[in-house]
Amino acid sequence: MSDRPDITDRADLERLLRRFYAAAFADPLIGPWFTEIARLDLERHLPHITDFWESALLRTAEYRRNAFAPHQALHRRQPLTAEHFGRWVQLWHAAVDGAHTGPLADRAKAQGERIAVAMLRRTAGPDTDGPGQGFVPLAAVLLRTVPPLTPVAAVEDPTRSHASVLASQPAPGDAC
């Protein structure tokens, strides 16, 4: 049995989102989007983000906002790329894996990937499969084929690239 419980309620989601945004704000690639471009006031915005995830995962809240509109406005100011969305997915997976395990945690990670793909397609246009623009998040591929990152290391040192963490881990099937 895991010492990490599944996501069960709004309080779990709020803690998870705080964990994720702490890593995202500190991340050298996507952090500036939150801190400099969007100038996100987390305390003001967190109830809305929690409503979104509570509606998506627990089906207990009514989210009535347009989650795409702020991302579209940011994209118009400075283009969001597959690399940005891929990094978002990596940090989301690390935050979820560091705090939770179970069916709802798995659904949160899958939903995060779907959201990232949808946001990219809606901002960059439907043809995101061209050279250099295709979006298969690194996290979606690597996190399914290798042991998960040590969540604490991934969240506590967000400047460490996913590739460098993976390089320090044994390959699947290798003896530890």
Side-chain angles (χ1 to χ4, degrees):
M1 183 174 178
S2 173
D3 62 337
R4 293 173 290 133
D6 202 358
I7 298 166
T8 60
D9 57 22
R10 185 177 179 90
D12 287 344
L13 288 170
E14 186 172 324
R15 281 188 297 275
L16 172 61
L17 290 163
R18 286 185 184 282
R19 178 184 182 92
F20 167 75
Y21 280 102
F25 278 35
D27 186 74
L29 178 63
I30 67 171
W33 288 94
F34 295 104
T35 60
E36 297 169 25
I37 299 168
R39 298 187 189 279
L40 182 68
D41 177 351
L42 187 60
E43 294 309 311
R44 189 174 133 267
H45 196 57
L46 189 64
H48 303 298
I49 301 168
T50 307
D51 285 348
F52 173 84
W53 283 103
E54 186 178 6
S55 177
L57 297 176
L58 303 175
R59 313 276 195 257
T60 56
E62 290 191 31
Y63 182 78
R64 297 191 183 272
R65 301 177 79 124
N66 180 347
F68 177 67
H71 297 88
Q72 184 177 37
L74 286 173
H75 179 73
R76 287 183 182 140
R77 289 171 56 194
Q78 188 163 338
L80 292 160
T81 68
E83 185 178 17
H84 295 114
F85 288 107
R87 184 63 178 154
W88 185 96
V89 169
Q90 290 173 332
L91 295 173
W92 180 245
H93 274 248
V96 173
D97 286 340
H100 299 282
T101 187
L104 283 176
D106 292 341
R107 188 182 323 161
K109 292 184 291 186
Q111 184 74 9
E113 289 179 24
R114 284 190 296 274
I115 290 167
V117 169
M119 291 281 185
L120 177 67
R121 290 212 169 123
R122 289 186 70 188
T123 56
D127 184 19
T128 57
D129 297 326
Q133 293 183 2
F135 181 78
V136 176
L138 179 60
V141 174
L142 295 177
L143 289 176
R144 289 187 181 134
T145 60
V146 298
L149 295 176
T150 304
V152 172
V155 172
E156 288 180 359
D157 185 5
T159 62
R160 189 170 178 201
S161 75
H162 190 69
S164 72
V165 173
L166 290 175
S168 69
Q169 293 185 347
D174 284 357
C176 292

